[in-house]
Amino acid sequence: MKAITIKLTNCLTALALGVAMCLSAVSCQKDELTDGDKFALYYPGITDIGPSTNMDLTPTYHGAKASKFEIYNVTLDGKTYQTESFSIDPESGMLSLRNTDGLPVGKYAISIQCVSGGQIYKFPGLVTVNMMHPVPEGIILEPSLIEVPLTSVTNLNLTDELPGARIITEGEHITVEDYKIAKVSLGGTLVEDWSGIFEVNSEGEFSILRNQNFLAGVYVIDFKLVTRTAGLDSSMGIYENALTVDVQAPPTSLTYSPSAVKVQYDYDYTSRAPKMVGSSNGLRYSILSVSPEGAPVTVNEKTGAITLSKEHDLPAGTDIVVSMKVENALGSMDFAQVFKITLVELINPITKLDYNDSTVWHDTKFGLAPKEVDGDEKIFSFVDLPEALSALKIDEHTGKISAKKGNKIEIGEYTVKVAVENSKGSMTKEIRLTVIENPYFFTYVHWGNNLGLDPAENYASQHRVPTTETYTFGVAATDIKEGTKVEYTISGGSKAACAVIDPETGAITTDLAFANGDDGKPKIENFRAHFFFVTATTGKGTSGETSVKTPVFLDFNCMRAEGGYQISYTPFVFQCNPKKGGVSAKPEITKAGKALTSEELSKIIMDFRRSFNYWNIGGPAEHANGAPNEAKDNFLSQIWAAYYAAINKSYGSGSRDPISYYGRAFLDKNPAYIRASDLALYIAPERWKDVNGYADGVFTAQITFADSGTDPKDAKDPYRLFPLFVWFDTEF
């Protein structure tokens, strides 16, 4: 979910402005200003709800304390609508959705006003709610409840298949045309990002993805479906509370942060609640032991927060060590010495906390340390950090606020609220963080194609080189800002030496010296499809330095004939989403410049044979480059291993079988093969992945070719070629 942000300067009149469901910015004209202060109101973004939805949304805001919250208008599809389903608490601003089963289907925009600093602020269309149809009767989940141990979903080394579910229809009166996850909640709290935990494919098959970030608990999942019933057009509906996934675990971990504190000997103290890994069903905390015995320590059995009473005669210098017992419906575990309180003579209170307001470039690394702070044994934390700033981190000991490069915090003005506390009290400070455009930021460079593929940006940068003379092509499109200095370099891939690049303009010129043998003459086997990476860098040496790495593909096959045959795939880069799979273009095959007859074409056989290779681009770091090997220490080895496990055979790192049509003929288990019917390359869905994630890189292999109608492996002298690349990316 994205936060909705409306920013206004003080206005005494309403603004007739619609606000979309995204991070938005609206401001008054200069002649409407009453002073220089600014006020911003934030609500968590919501969308796509159904008739049974009940929800509370708590606001945050930038500026003076707000009160007198009021809903002053609600529209349905742009027209004013009267309803009691939306209400707001006048003091806290909590927006409640209740009794929504009577709401008509449509898009609701809720306008809210409040008072801050004596001024009335109006936020038209601040919250958008898309009320959807429930799905028609006859759609069910099989099963509707999945129970799975936490250890099964967090252990990335396991290869057994996790339980799943399937959305099906009963009878023939209804068809589901598209499936999406609409909402996921864990223990009643919305899960912001479920992309690495759950997914549903185009066939309605729901899968659990192994992920080390899984938490124990009960997940409830809503689906958004496009359905079509007999005789009616398709429509989109919400399938609420469709599936329950119970990730089960006894208590396995208990962590207090901080785990050791110093407290003035004559003060009360209460710790923060701990982080517990395990099911929350039947959860209960109790003290297992305290050293020294008799220390006045208690625990909140529901939250796990530990409290020390000042009513004791223990001297300064005493270490109070607490061991805990945690129980839930699945078991219990003892956790020894998980929290320590050291009594000291004096803890200086916190009386100062200050940060400088800061302006940073979008998408860059930055750090903000406190300008001033005092007191002892300080612990820093964020207070109500908006979702839009979730990339921010804070060092709990030093108070330094930081964000990594590529943090994706959007351009805009934000308020960051920081608290610092110790056993004697706390202070808070609001910091204004302004994110401005990074002048060096860009996202793509494209070198187009000479294959007539249009629009070019939908295809890889790919050129078929028709000459041994120089062939040059330049940058076709980029979002690098005009006038920005760029540095281009070539590296890696299958053959970086097959081209040179102008480091300033990005113009690429083929260099066929790579094809020469020891005698100085071209080696014909090097006339094949090659690729390399081009890295474009702007702002080098500054905090805004940005680099984008792009594969560029060249096909030299048209200068090579195998037995008089020319074989060309167009495009020769098959862009494939590994989740969905797909089929490449069919090749065009000629002999001596002439098209083949039907009889000649029927005898053509092509199959993957050897020289398998993979280059990672944007996939998990664990997806190492290279060919399948005995050590199974790279990505392609995992693809081969999964195939052999599926057919219950011994792993063979050098075998063609996993991607061969003519291998062991377990085609329903193959991750890929060249179809005998039309020589197009078939990629199976959901096969190009491992426990770390999906393929995001380039795959190629040598293809053998014969015109005898038999497996090229058995041909006396099969032709060998590299005419095709597969570029995997889940965004395709």
Side-chain angles (χ1 to χ4, degrees):
M1 295 191 304
K2 296 183 178 179
I4 308 169
T5 307
I6 310 296
K7 286 181 276 188
L8 294 95
T9 45
N10 288 349
C11 304
L12 299 179
T13 58
L15 303 176
L17 297 171
V19 180
M21 182 73 182
C22 60
L23 190 67
S24 307
V26 179
S27 63
C28 303
Q29 300 300 316
K30 288 184 178 179
D31 59 3
E32 296 175 300
L33 294 175
T34 59
D35 59 43
D37 293 335
K38 293 183 179 181
F39 179 79
L41 182 63
Y42 307 84
Y43 278 88
I46 61 171
T47 185
D48 298 339
I49 69 170
S52 66
T53 298
N54 292 319
M55 187 179 297
D56 294 320
L57 304 175
T58 302
T60 57
Y61 48 83
H62 161 68
K65 179 176 174 58
S67 62
K68 297 183 180 179
F69 289 88
E70 180 183 339
I71 296 174
Y72 69 86
N73 191 35
V74 175
T75 62
L76 169 58
D77 296 331
K79 297 181 181 180
T80 299
Y81 183 80
Q82 299 295 324
T83 177
E84 296 182 358
S85 295
F86 308 132
S87 63
I88 195 166
D89 184 281
E91 292 305 313
S92 70
M94 178 182 286
L95 179 66
S96 297
L97 283 64
R98 294 289 186 274
N99 303 316
T100 56
D101 52 340
L103 287 179
V105 169
K107 189 166 288 187
Y108 294 81
I110 305 169
S111 299
I112 297 173
Q113 70 179 35
C114 63
V115 174
S116 176
Q119 300 292 333
I120 297 175
Y121 294 85
K122 292 197 171 186
F123 302 88
L126 178 58
V127 179
T128 300
V129 178
N130 183 25
M131 174 61 66
M132 301 179 67
H133 287 286
V135 297
E137 292 185 6
I139 298 177
I140 62 174
L141 258 291
E142 285 191 349
S144 59
L145 169 64
I146 298 174
E147 296 177 330
V148 60
L150 179 66
T151 52
S152 292
V153 297
T154 56
N155 188 341
L156 303 183
N157 294 318
L158 297 178
T159 58
D160 58 305
E161 188 173 346
L162 291 170
R166 185 180 178 89
I167 303 172
I168 63 173
T169 58
E170 295 181 324
E172 299 180 356
H173 69 289
I174 186 170
T175 301
V176 183
E177 298 178 337
D178 194 20
Y179 308 81
K180 285 183 171 54
I181 294 175
K183 185 177 71 176
V184 176
S185 62
L186 172 60
T189 300
L190 292 178
V191 176
E192 303 290 351
D193 183 7
W194 59 82
S195 59
I197 298 175
F198 303 123
E199 68 177 11
V200 62
N201 67 16
S202 58
E203 303 299 320
E205 296 170 338
F206 171 85
S207 300
I208 300 172
L209 308 177
R210 283 192 167 89
N211 191 311
Q212 290 175 317
N213 295 323
F214 247 113
L215 298 176
V218 177
Y219 294 82
V220 177
I221 301 165
D222 297 353
F223 292 93
K224 185 165 55 177
L225 309 179
V226 176
T227 60
R228 179 167 50 83
T229 52
L232 297 175
D233 294 334
S234 62
S235 64
M236 185 172 289
I238 195 86
Y239 189 0
E240 293 186 290
N241 305 319
L243 179 64
T244 299
V245 179
D246 186 1
V247 180
Q248 302 176 334
T252 57
S253 173
L254 182 68
T255 306
Y256 286 85
S257 182
S259 60
V261 296
K262 293 180 180 179
V263 176
Q264 190 167 311
Y265 73 96
D266 54 351
Y267 268 72
D268 293 326
Y269 172 79
T270 298
S271 76
R272 296 178 179 181
K275 179 180 179 181
M276 193 279 298
V277 176
S279 300
S280 59
N281 186 19
L283 181 62
R284 181 178 178 272
Y285 297 89
S286 60
I287 291 177
L288 183 67
S289 66
V290 178
S291 174
E293 290 185 17
V297 173
T298 57
V299 66
N300 184 313
E301 67 174 17
K302 292 183 178 180
T303 68
I306 294 171
T307 296
L308 169 69
S309 170
K310 65 182 179 182
E311 301 301 325
H312 62 80
D313 56 3
L314 297 171
T318 301
D319 287 336
I320 301 172
V321 180
V322 183
S323 297
M324 296 291 299
K325 182 183 187 68
V326 185
E327 304 169 82
N328 66 15
L330 296 173
S332 66
M333 181 168 282
D334 297 340
F335 298 93
Q337 302 180 357
V338 290
F339 194 70
K340 183 174 78 170
I341 302 171
T342 299
L343 301 180
V344 296
E345 288 282 355
L346 177 67
I347 294 289
N348 287 308
I350 298 166
T351 64
K352 300 176 183 178
L353 175 64
D354 198 14
Y355 287 80
N356 286 321
D357 292 337
S358 297
T359 298
V360 299
W361 279 344
H362 173 244
D363 211 46
T364 60
K365 176 182 178 180
F366 61 86
L368 312 173
K371 180 173 69 174
E372 188 177 26
V373 65
D374 65 357
D376 298 329
E377 303 302 317
K378 300 178 291 292
I379 300 296
F380 293 83
S381 61
F382 290 124
V383 179
D384 298 326
L385 188 70
E387 179 193 345
L389 297 177
S390 60
L392 290 182
K393 306 298 178 187
I394 188 167
D395 187 305
E396 67 175 13
H397 300 294
T398 67
K400 183 177 180 180
I401 300 166
S402 61
K404 294 180 179 179
K405 185 174 180 61
N407 55 70
K408 306 306 179 188
I409 298 174
E410 298 295 337
I411 292 171
E413 291 184 1
Y414 302 92
T415 297
V416 183
K417 192 172 183 180
V418 175
V420 59
E421 60 182 305
N422 65 13
S423 59
K424 282 196 172 179
S426 65
M427 289 192 71
T428 60
K429 171 66 178 178
E430 288 189 349
I431 309 157
R432 180 169 295 175
L433 176 66
T434 303
V435 181
I436 63 175
E437 183 178 16
N438 174 7
Y440 300 112
F441 179 75
F442 70 102
T443 60
Y444 74 93
V445 184
H446 202 282
W447 279 265
N449 67 80
N450 64 351
L451 307 178
L453 300 172
D454 187 54
E457 60 268 21
N458 289 357
Y459 298 89
S461 300
Q462 53 188 305
H463 285 253
R464 187 161 283 142
V465 181
T467 175
T468 56
E469 303 298 324
T470 57
Y471 172 76
T472 300
F473 54 97
V475 173
T478 181
D479 59 347
I480 296 174
K481 297 171 184 63
E482 188 174 353
T484 302
K485 183 179 179 181
V486 190
E487 179 180 292
Y488 295 93
T489 57
I490 283 178
S491 64
S494 63
K495 186 69 76 169
C498 66
V500 293
I501 194 166
D502 186 307
E504 295 182 356
T505 68
I508 294 172
T509 300
T510 58
D511 182 359
L512 294 184
F514 81 92
N516 292 340
D518 295 338
D519 58 1
K521 297 179 180 180
K523 295 192 293 183
I524 192 65
E525 61 267 25
N526 278 336
F527 287 90
R528 48 171 281 192
H530 286 291
F531 90 100
F532 46 81
F533 293 108
V534 176
T535 300
T537 302
T538 58
K540 195 165 186 177
T542 73
S543 64
E545 180 175 320
T546 303
S547 292
V548 172
K549 189 176 181 180
T550 306
V552 177
F553 302 84
L554 300 176
D555 182 9
F556 299 100
N557 279 294
C558 57
M559 291 184 285
R560 166 190 184 179
E562 283 281 12
Y565 290 100
Q566 293 278 354
I567 301 169
S568 300
Y569 286 85
T570 304
F572 63 90
V573 182
F574 176 23
Q575 296 181 172
C576 182
N577 184 330
K579 295 182 179 181
K580 300 177 180 178
V583 180
S584 76
K586 296 181 290 187
E588 179 185 357
I589 304 176
T590 62
K591 186 173 185 179
K594 296 181 180 180
L596 302 186
T597 66
S598 298
E599 182 179 354
E600 290 173 324
L601 194 57
S602 68
K603 296 181 180 179
I604 300 298
I605 303 294
M606 294 171 62
D607 197 33
F608 280 126
R609 183 70 180 91
R610 58 175 68 84
S611 300
F612 322 113
N613 218 331
Y614 180 81
W615 296 265
N616 188 16
I617 297 179
E622 295 83 358
H623 285 187
N625 297 348
N629 60 32
E630 290 298 329
K632 300 182 186 179
D633 59 2
N634 60 30
F635 177 64
L636 217 49
S637 294
Q638 300 306 312
I639 304 302
W640 257 239
Y643 166 82
Y644 283 108
I647 66 171
N648 198 27
K649 299 287 184 180
S650 299
Y651 172 77
S653 62
S655 173
R656 66 170 179 164
D657 292 352
I659 57 171
S660 170
Y661 184 88
Y662 298 96
R664 294 184 179 272
F666 293 98
L667 293 182
D668 61 328
K669 307 297 183 184
N670 278 46
Y673 57 84
I674 296 173
R675 300 193 309 199
S677 58
D678 57 7
L679 306 180
L681 172 60
Y682 168 74
I683 299 290
E686 298 292 338
R687 298 270 172 82
W688 291 82
K689 65 179 182 179
D690 65 5
V691 294
N692 299 300
Y694 286 92
D696 187 330
V698 175
F699 167 76
T700 190
Q702 185 189 78
I703 293 174
T704 50
F705 169 96
D707 55 8
S708 59
T710 62
D711 182 352
K713 179 181 178 182
D714 301 324
K716 181 178 180 181
D717 188 19
Y719 305 124
R720 301 168 185 177
L721 59 153
F722 292 83
L724 184 66
F725 286 104
V726 183
W727 181 6
F728 289 107
D729 192 318
T730 55
E731 297 300 315
F732 291 147

